[in-house]
Amino acid sequence: MNELPDPRGPTYRLPSPPPPDPTGWHALRRRARSTLWPPRAPAWAALLAIAVAAAGLRGLWFQATLPGRLPAATDWQAVAGLLSRDARPGDAVALAPPWAERGRAALPDRIPSRPDAPLPVLALPSYAAQAEDLAGIRRVWLVALPRAPGGPGRAAEELAARASTVDGPIRIGRIELTRYDLREPSLPAWSLSGRLGDAVVTGGSATREVREVAGLPRTCAVLRPDGAAPIVLRLPPARLGSVLRVHAGPVGDGTGAGPFVVRLLVDGVEVGRLPGGAPAWSPARIDAARLSPGEHAVSVEATVAGPAPVPTCVELEALP
């Protein structure tokens, strides 16, 4: 026998009321929800005050603990002594984090046993192969501040990816020192800054310096023209290898620098031109393999616009 549905609809049995919460957590959560939503100005002002107070306390803690995380003067002296003893031509020092510029004043810029061999100190944002060539460098000594803000960052990983041998790290006070032997170093046959003493300069002056270009330190020939006329550097004949690589950029942040043009001539014939502006570290590569074998005379000509031309940083390298 079929039963007809109740015309009043289905019947539901309500559950019994929940037992009282002895912790008061549910009541506190309801009060917090009703206080914060819908939003009210006093509630948000209180939350903002709490966030500002927490940030201020963290800042005070950071300032109070910072001296204990930075290297002492004796730490820098110990690292400088180790580099003076073990560094050799073709080595370079990398600072991590890059803002640890105190290393430039504390660490040697030349190898004591070989005063003619520089020991460049690098502070680059990246050491990956696609970002930096690290020309002329066989081994990199990474001077890292592991407890400092920023720490070593990606420098250790990027150098390890390019290294055949990793020696370290060793702990020297609050500094970690690691040596990376590069697997495939880029070794130029010669560079413009290295042969600057043999160059004939007309239209200005040229000196080998480490200067800031586009926010990074660069070792290059700094060209200072006497006026609007181009400054020309003529090098004695030399073998060119397979590739000529040139970089150029205005010294400093580029304030007041106008556009510049750097021309590269081989035996009086232009083989490459590099126009640029500020701020930049503009690159160019010239295929030298198509030239006849033997030695060739190379000239670099730079023209800088503006009533008071900003010095231009130029580096030229001959890759085998």
Side-chain angles (χ1 to χ4, degrees), residues 30 42 69 76 127 134 146 164 194 220 231 257 267 273 284 287 310:
R30 285 196 300 271
R69 290 181 282 159
W76 287 111
Y127 294 92
L134 300 180
S164 59
C220 57
I231 177 173
D267 297 330
R273 180 183 292 248
D287 181 14
V310 173

Side-chain angles (χ1 to χ4, degrees), residues 206-222:
T207 55
R208 184 183 188 275
E209 301 178 26
V210 178
R211 299 299 297 269
E212 177 189 348
V213 181
L216 295 174
R218 303 289 182 182
T219 301
C220 57
V222 178

Side-chain angles (χ1 to χ4, degrees), residues 135-243:
I137 297 174
R138 297 178 182 271
R139 307 190 307 175
V140 179
W141 297 82
L142 179 63
V143 177
L145 282 56
R147 298 184 59 195
R154 303 187 308 271
E157 297 178 2
E158 292 171 345
L159 288 172
R162 304 179 64 171
S164 59
T165 304
V166 179
D167 187 3
I170 60 173
R171 193 68 177 262
I172 304 175
R174 300 186 184 99
I175 298 177
E176 285 186 350
L177 185 63
T178 310
R179 194 193 76 224
Y180 298 89
D181 298 358
L182 300 184
R183 183 183 304 107
E184 297 178 354
S186 176
L187 304 176
W190 54 265
S191 66
L192 175 63
S193 58
R195 300 185 62 200
L196 197 57
D198 301 327
V200 176
V201 183
T202 58
S205 62
T207 55
R208 184 183 188 275
E209 301 178 26
V210 178
R211 299 299 297 269
E212 177 189 348
V213 181
L216 295 174
R218 303 289 182 182
T219 301
C220 57
V222 178
L223 310 185
R224 295 177 174 86
D226 290 336
I231 177 173
V232 181
L233 282 72
R234 294 180 175 87
L235 298 174
R239 294 186 179 275
L240 304 185
S242 60
V243 173

Side-chain angles (χ1 to χ4, degrees), residues 15-99:
S16 58
D21 181 14
T23 63
W25 168 250
H26 294 289
L28 179 62
R29 189 170 60 180
R30 285 196 300 271
R31 285 197 298 270
R33 186 185 299 114
S34 62
T35 302
L36 298 176
W37 194 265
R40 297 184 180 88
W44 289 111
L47 289 177
L48 178 61
I50 293 173
V52 171
L57 291 174
R58 187 182 184 282
L60 291 174
W61 171 83
F62 177 83
Q63 291 293 335
T65 59
L66 183 59
R69 290 181 282 159
L70 295 179
T74 53
D75 299 339
W76 287 111
Q77 293 172 3
V79 173
L82 191 148
L83 290 174
S84 298
R85 184 194 69 188
D86 293 345
R88 62 193 189 196
D91 287 6
V93 177
L95 299 176
W99 55 259

Side-chain angles (χ1 to χ4, degrees), residues 104-130:
R104 295 192 181 278
L107 303 178
D109 59 352
R110 291 190 172 274
I111 300 174
S113 60
R114 289 281 305 275
D116 60 317
L119 184 63
V121 179
L122 311 176
L124 304 176
S126 175
Y127 294 92
Q130 62 270 23

Side-chain angles (χ1 to χ4, degrees), residues 189-193 195-202 221 223 231-247 262-273 284 286-302 314-319:
W190 54 265
S191 66
L192 175 63
S193 58
R195 300 185 62 200
L196 197 57
D198 301 327
V200 176
V201 183
T202 58
L223 310 185
I231 177 173
V232 181
L233 282 72
R234 294 180 175 87
L235 298 174
R239 294 186 179 275
L240 304 185
S242 60
V243 173
L244 291 174
R245 181 173 55 197
V246 60
H247 289 81
V262 175
R263 299 173 62 227
L264 185 64
L265 300 94
V266 176
D267 297 330
V269 179
E270 180 177 330
V271 296
R273 180 183 292 248
I286 294 94
D287 181 14
R290 56 187 174 86
L291 301 175
S292 61
E295 296 184 342
H296 296 269
V298 177
S299 300
V300 177
E301 177 185 293
V314 178
E315 181 58 296
L316 169 66
E317 297 160 336
L319 301 180

